[in-house]
Amino acid sequence: MAVDYAVIVVYLAGMLAMGWWGMRRAKSKSEFLVAGRRLGPWMYSGTMAAIVLGGASTIGGVGLGYKHGLSGAWMVFTIGLGLLALSVFFSARIARLKVYTVSEMLDLRYGGRAGVISGIVMWAYTLMLAVTSTIAYATIFDVLFDLNRTVAIILGGTIVVAYSTLGGMWSITLTDMVQFVVKTIGVLLLLLPIAVVKAGGFGEMRARLPDDYFAPFGIGGETIFTYVLIYTFGMLIGQDIWQRVFTARGDKVARWGGTVAGTYCLLYALAGAVIGTAAKVLYPNLGSADDAFATIVKDELPMGVRGLVLAAALAAVMSTSSGALIACATVANNDIWSRLRRVGGRGGGADGGPGGGTDGSEHDEVRGNRLFILIMGIGVIAIAIALNDVVEALTVAYNLLVGGLLVPILGGLLWKRGTVYGALAGVIVGGGAVVGLMAAYGILANEPVYYGLLSSLAAYLIVSLVTRPTDEAVLAAWRRRLAGDADDESPEAPSEPALPVG
């Protein structure tokens, strides 16, 4: 596998080199966190597709195809649907807000005071997302180098933390573009046709597998509905996704570039399911469906091609991991740490939280955000080493995100009568219900996200209707931001009266 090793080493060295290049370009907070809001349509499309199609979409998508056939595409398909919905209906408005985090949007819409609580929920989601992506390094490096699980996590995690810390969003954008190209070549153009040919073509696959492997809804209606709730709606509100929307050069780039990325996700979903179905023909008795990707790559692909396809899997994991890491660090710094410092009377600090001003220079802001990425990255690696179950961690992340934040965020974008008290009630009741129901029914049960979402909606509507409407000055400032009329990237939002939660 010398040639395969060489391909992987060149790829990893290239990632670090781009981190170094990005460090020289990221001279301001805007450059470091959102690539200066200057990405054009091609780069925006590629990076958006790269971040949403991670290890779960690649290795997990093939595994679902191995287990369920073509209907195994539904998980990644619902991710693509969510990205399409975000791009068509919301992305232009989100881009015009010119904020850095989802919690800043909530403060602008509701008049402040919701940021810390929503920030904690969003931080927990991005942290778990980064952890699950980091755990996936163990699978890939085990196939490549037969490495110990802990060593594999440290190796992969260190590379991602290094280039993310050095150059921020510019480094991540550049590496994501490379990762997008590698994934397209490795999975769509090489692994897909080779897997189908090795399995004897579609005719042989149909002859050797049950009919339900080719039924579009064979995975089950309830499973598909749960995927829609978790992944389609999750795409609408995740900080990791919004932070990419913030990088768009303008409304049209956000809308049409995202639409292209969403369409690409639909094709990627089908490709993963077909590869998994072919693997079922070739290896009908694998111990775990998630081994299907690594097995078919290791046994069926020629030298060199095998290295490129494994690099594609590594690219998928790295793109999601780096995107989740910078999102986690951005939320921790801007939505939690900076706000708590202001509450403690220490001012906004050099890190420049939303509306807090900047006591230091642009260099200080970049340095502060870079430090948070490094700290969060070390924490992510440590948690990934201690945690074993990727599916449970990912389920916890999306349950908290959808159950706690979906209603307040979409309510703020769509319903004028929503209030800050309603938003807080939605976050607290929905998030609390999700946690309680996961303890009662189990982490992998469907009930937590179902009832958590319903309880969040009920709390949001009832509390908003019984409290006084949002001040008209707050709504006027909100409408100006939605129209793109903002001179400052993160001005202080007009505030409602102070709440006991601080």
Side-chain angles (χ1 to χ4, degrees):
M1 293 184 66
V3 175
D4 298 322
Y5 292 160
V7 171
I8 299 298
V9 169
V10 169
Y11 168 76
L12 294 177
M15 297 300 99
L16 291 174
M18 289 181 186
W20 183 261
W21 186 92
M23 181 181 69
R24 301 180 63 181
R25 181 156 187 172
K27 300 298 185 182
S28 69
K29 179 180 180 181
S30 176
E31 295 280 355
F32 190 82
L33 294 182
V34 290
R37 308 187 195 274
R38 291 188 298 182
L39 297 193
W42 295 111
M43 186 168 282
Y44 178 85
S45 298
T47 58
M48 183 62 86
I51 188 175
V52 300
L53 296 174
S57 300
T58 304
I59 299 171
V62 172
L64 286 172
Y66 182 88
K67 188 174 181 180
H68 299 287
L70 297 186
S71 67
W74 273 106
M75 184 187 77
V76 184
F77 200 82
T78 55
I79 290 173
L81 291 178
L83 187 51
L84 285 171
L86 174 72
S87 301
V88 173
F89 298 112
F90 299 108
S91 62
R93 281 183 283 178
I94 292 170
R96 285 196 295 266
L97 290 174
K98 295 195 180 300
V99 294
Y100 291 102
T101 69
V102 174
S103 294
E104 286 185 51
M105 167 264 166
L106 291 173
D107 276 355
L108 281 168
R109 166 58 182 83
Y110 294 112
R113 304 297 188 266
V116 172
I117 293 176
S118 62
I120 290 171
V121 175
M122 188 64 77
W123 175 78
Y125 156 73
T126 53
L127 179 70
M128 285 295 99
L129 187 61
V131 167
T132 57
S133 301
T134 304
I135 291 173
Y137 297 132
T139 301
I140 299 170
F141 282 112
D142 177 56
V143 175
L144 284 172
F145 306 117
D146 194 26
L147 287 178
N148 171 271
R149 178 182 182 275
T150 299
V151 175
I153 289 173
I154 292 174
L155 175 60
T158 299
I159 292 171
V160 170
V161 171
Y163 73 69
S164 300
T165 301
L166 286 172
M169 187 59 81
W170 269 122
S171 294
I172 293 171
T173 297
L174 292 171
T175 55
D176 276 358
M177 279 304 298
V178 174
Q179 289 157 359
F180 171 74
V181 172
V182 171
K183 279 191 289 191
T184 301
I185 296 173
V187 175
L188 295 184
L189 302 184
L190 293 176
L191 182 58
L192 175 62
I194 290 173
V196 172
V197 170
K198 292 283 187 178
F202 287 105
E204 182 68 14
M205 291 163 63
R206 288 199 66 102
R208 295 182 57 180
L209 294 173
D211 289 341
D212 59 0
Y213 262 70
F214 301 90
F217 303 103
I219 199 170
E222 184 179 358
T223 299
I224 295 171
F225 180 68
T226 303
Y227 284 159
V228 170
L229 279 184
I230 293 178
Y231 296 114
T232 301
F233 286 126
M235 287 296 107
L236 298 179
I237 59 174
Q239 169 68 24
D240 53 323
I241 309 303
W242 278 42
Q243 199 156 342
R244 295 309 173 97
V245 176
F246 300 151
T247 66
R249 189 168 59 201
D251 296 0
K252 290 183 178 180
V253 171
R255 181 180 294 113
W256 296 111
T259 301
V260 170
T263 304
Y264 179 90
C265 291
L266 303 184
L267 297 174
Y268 201 88
L270 184 59
V274 171
I275 293 167
T277 304
K280 183 67 175 180
V281 173
L282 294 167
Y283 312 100
N285 299 310
L286 288 178
S288 170
D290 286 340
D291 292 335
F293 179 89
T295 302
I296 195 170
V297 169
K298 192 172 184 179
D299 293 350
E300 303 297 336
L301 298 185
M303 180 177 59
V305 173
R306 180 172 49 210
L308 183 59
V309 173
L310 288 172
L314 194 59
V317 174
M318 282 187 160
S319 57
T320 300
S321 181
S322 59
L325 176 59
I326 193 172
C328 178
T330 303
V331 170
N333 187 12
N334 290 268
D335 292 339
I336 300 175
W337 173 245
S338 292
R339 293 167 192 263
L340 291 177
R341 291 184 71 185
R342 290 201 298 275
V343 170
R346 295 176 62 188
D351 298 323
T358 54
D359 295 339
S361 65
E362 289 282 359
H363 176 73
D364 292 329
E365 292 188 39
V366 172
R367 183 176 59 187
N369 283 291
R370 184 174 283 136
L371 177 61
F372 265 84
I373 292 179
L374 179 61
I375 293 171
M376 292 297 109
I378 294 171
V380 164
I381 292 172
I383 296 171
I385 291 171
L387 198 63
N388 288 316
D389 198 317
V390 178
V391 176
E392 288 194 356
L394 193 63
T395 301
V396 169
Y398 274 98
N399 281 353
L400 283 172
L401 177 70
V402 174
L405 291 178
L406 177 68
V407 171
I409 292 171
L410 292 189
L413 290 170
L414 300 173
W415 191 40
K416 178 181 176 181
R417 187 61 180 81
T419 69
V420 64
Y421 296 94
L424 284 169
V427 173
I428 294 169
V429 172
V434 163
V435 173
L437 290 167
M438 283 192 296
Y441 287 95
I443 290 176
L444 299 180
N446 292 328
E447 286 84 359
V449 71
Y450 291 170
Y451 298 125
L453 190 55
L454 288 174
S455 63
S456 177
L457 178 61
Y460 178 75
L461 292 175
I462 293 170
V463 175
S464 290
L465 290 172
V466 299
T467 53
R468 70 180 182 84
T470 303
D471 187 87
E472 185 56 39
V474 173
L475 292 177
W478 168 253
R479 287 191 292 268
R480 287 196 300 272
R481 292 298 289 268
L482 283 178
D485 182 16
D487 297 326
D488 189 349
E489 293 224 332
S490 54
E492 183 77 43
S495 297
E496 294 278 16
L499 302 179
V501 295

